[in-house]
Amino acid sequence: MTKTGTEELNALLDRGAKLYGAGRTTAAASVYRKAAILAPDDPTVRYRLATALWHGEHRAEEALAELKALAESYPGNGSIHLAIAQIANSLGQQEEAAEAAEQALADDSGLTTAWIELVNASKAGAREALGDRL
């Protein structure tokens, strides 16, 4: 990528982050789509676009598919697995959510939000065992 292209990408990522942070997730998704044209394989662009699609456009299935592909390309990234767990839980896919939350914790034990997703994905009887683990 040229210096101008890199500068444009960084400006788009910055604008998208500001919009997302301000709760304007649909607008952020639009900005991240533009960034994806410049850098379709960039993991940051892919991750941010997926989360904006989920939060801003309520396109959970599409976001989940993108995050799963991203997780395969970048194993060991707990943040990606945490996002998968969150979306899977929102779709009622508890088994997948639990697996992703477990992987997020294995990747990064500091991702305490993954415990919430794991509890949300677990059946009532299994929650006591999670409390013991925690």
Side-chain angles (χ1 to χ4, degrees):
M1 184 177 295
T2 67
K3 181 179 178 188
T4 303
T6 301
E7 290 171 355
E8 185 178 357
L9 177 63
N10 288 337
L12 287 169
L13 289 173
D14 184 52
R15 178 158 170 69
K18 287 177 182 172
L19 288 167
Y20 193 91
R24 299 186 56 208
T25 53
T26 301
S30 178
V31 170
Y32 291 140
R33 276 191 191 88
K34 292 175 185 173
I37 292 169
L38 289 175
D41 297 324
D42 184 284
T44 299
V45 171
R46 292 173 63 194
Y47 177 83
R48 290 185 185 183
L49 178 56
T51 57
L53 286 174
W54 176 42
H55 287 118
E57 298 183 3
H58 310 290
R59 294 166 58 184
E61 294 285 348
E62 184 179 343
L64 186 58
E66 177 60 26
L67 288 167
K68 286 179 183 179
L70 194 56
E72 286 183 24
S73 298
Y74 297 92
N77 186 311
S79 294
I80 295 170
H81 288 103
L82 174 57
I84 291 169
Q86 291 168 327
I87 295 172
N89 262 331
S90 78
L91 293 171
Q93 300 172 2
Q94 277 71 33
E95 187 174 319
E96 183 170 0
E99 289 175 14
E102 289 280 10
Q103 186 60 54
L105 289 166
D107 294 340
D108 183 350
S109 62
L111 287 174
T112 56
T113 307
W115 281 104
I116 295 169
E117 296 306 322
L118 189 55
V119 168
N120 288 338
S122 299
K123 293 181 170 70
R127 290 183 181 153
E128 187 175 314
L130 288 176
D132 292 342
R133 280 180 53 201
L134 184 57

